Amino acid sequence: MDFLTLFSVYVAVVLTCIVLVCKYSGQQQTPLGRLFNTVTQVASPWIPQCIQNISNRTVHRLFHQRNNFFIYLHLILEAAVYAEYSYEVFQFCLEMETTMVNVCVPYVLLAIKSCIFYLCCRRDPGTLTKKNHAAQLKVYQYDEQLFQEGSMCPTCQFVKPARSKHCRVCNRCVQRFDHHCIWVNNCIGAQNTRYFLLYLLSVCAMAGDIVVLTGDMLFHVVVRSGLMHARYIDEQGQEQPSGLLFIIQHLFLTFPRIVFMLGFLVFVFFLLAGYSLFHCYLAVVNQTSNEWFKRKGHSCQHCHPGSGHHSHTSYNPMRGFYNKGILKNLKEVFWPLSPTRKKDN
Ligand SMILES: *[C@@H]1O[C@H](CO)[C@@H](O)[C@H](O)[C@H]1NC(C)=O
Ligand SMILES: [Zn+2]
Ligand SMILES: [Zn+2]
């Protein structure tokens, strides 16, 4: 395959990944998600009805019903990356005096991540049942802003405890609801936010580590082969010094799979690093993403720029009424409040 074909395939795959992730990661408020919605709306008159129906049904089944599709997708991608790493990078790294310990770190990270992932998927996020409901009502106080005292969940037929929300995908109310994550096929709530956070961080670590090792390997290949000082003959028969573009092109054609993997991992790393930072921030300021999005919507409705008076003070999470300090907030994420272990005022 020539460089251009390979490169177009590459760009197409990456762009599809970005669009899919943004559209369906459960946070449709992202700018890219909105862009995607607009594009689909504009394009819909040109798409035949039957295709639209099929795709609507698929979307419904994949994203609005519980299913393990993304868990499998996840495992397949992971297997592909690790196969590639073991098959091509591992051996090479050993040859160029990278120590055994360094080369094995990705496997250790994989083991850790798999445990956390399992916990995150399997652990009950804090489902509200008839039995624990009365006790759960006492865990958090109502703030009368986002959570009104006495509001009912029409499906579950009971009064919603503060900070809880009904998950439409799982059809249950969840305590300290964060969001429903399709990648773990579970809600993220009081009891598994910690695993979710650790899971994000461990995937970042995994991707980052493999990126560093692979980058190091490619760098050594370039240095060893003397490509940096090489010259090539162009179409006019002139001798040209090899530039960065030439080296990238060369690597692309010599190690297409490795470069592909590297690009994918860099993408995953930055995406998840941003997302992890967001979730760390939320943990530190004692908020859930559900509250964060609601609060954003809330203040937008009421704050008319230039309207003169502000009847309500805008919420500042860092100095919020519920924020009792970073350590206490983190403690609450890692040791969720439960009715038996009530918070100490
Ligand atoms: C976190 O916020 C909730 C209200 O949303 C509050 O009841 C709780 O005490 C806060 N926890 C900490 C550790 O600040
Ligand atoms: Zn409910
Ligand atoms: Zn759910």
Side-chain angles (χ1 to χ4, degrees), residues 140-141 163 286 322-324 328-329 332 343:
Y140 289 114
Q141 286 140 17
R163 308 193 88 181
N286 185 17
Y322 305 115
N323 190 350
K324 297 196 197 115
K328 277 200 175 153
N329 292 341
E332 201 175 287
K343 64 174 176 173

Side-chain angles (χ1 to χ4, degrees), residues 223-239:
V223 169
R224 256 197 212 175
S225 61
L227 260 180
M228 291 211 267
H229 310 289
R231 297 176 159 270
Y232 69 99
I233 312 247
D234 67 4
E235 279 146 11
Q236 279 88 41
Q238 312 245 297
E239 208 172 83

Side-chain angles (χ1 to χ4, degrees), residues 66 167-172 174 177 179-181 186-187:
R66 289 196 82 176
C167 173
R168 263 181 282 157
V169 181
C170 310
N171 199 22
R172 61 181 174 193
V174 174
F177 181 83
H179 68 291
H180 180 87
C181 177
N186 201 356
C187 306

Side-chain angles (χ1 to χ4, degrees), residues 202-233:
S202 59
V203 177
C204 277
M206 238 164 72
D209 192 36
I210 300 186
V211 165
V212 169
L213 286 169
T214 313
D216 192 40
M217 168 205 152
L218 291 180
F219 179 73
H220 271 84
V221 168
V222 171
V223 169
R224 256 197 212 175
S225 61
L227 260 180
M228 291 211 267
H229 310 289
R231 297 176 159 270
Y232 69 99
I233 312 247

Side-chain angles (χ1 to χ4, degrees), residues 18-86:
I18 297 181
V19 169
L20 282 181
V21 166
C22 292
K23 171 75 174 116
Y24 296 120
S25 55
Q27 246 105 64
Q28 256 137 60
Q29 290 89 340
T30 56
L32 269 169
R34 259 186 254 135
L35 180 72
F36 185 87
N37 284 341
T38 323
V39 170
T40 27
Q41 265 165 28
V42 170
S44 64
W46 285 285
I47 304 171
Q49 192 61 42
C50 61
I51 294 186
Q52 278 189 37
N53 286 345
I54 293 177
S55 75
N56 284 345
R57 226 174 303 139
T58 320
V59 163
H60 179 71
R61 207 166 293 153
L62 281 185
F63 301 105
H64 305 148
Q65 284 176 353
R66 289 196 82 176
N67 67 78
N68 285 329
F69 174 78
F70 287 94
I71 295 191
Y72 297 136
L73 179 65
H74 188 149
L75 294 179
I76 291 170
L77 289 175
E78 205 165 76
V81 166
Y82 270 84
E84 179 63 20
Y85 175 74
S86 312

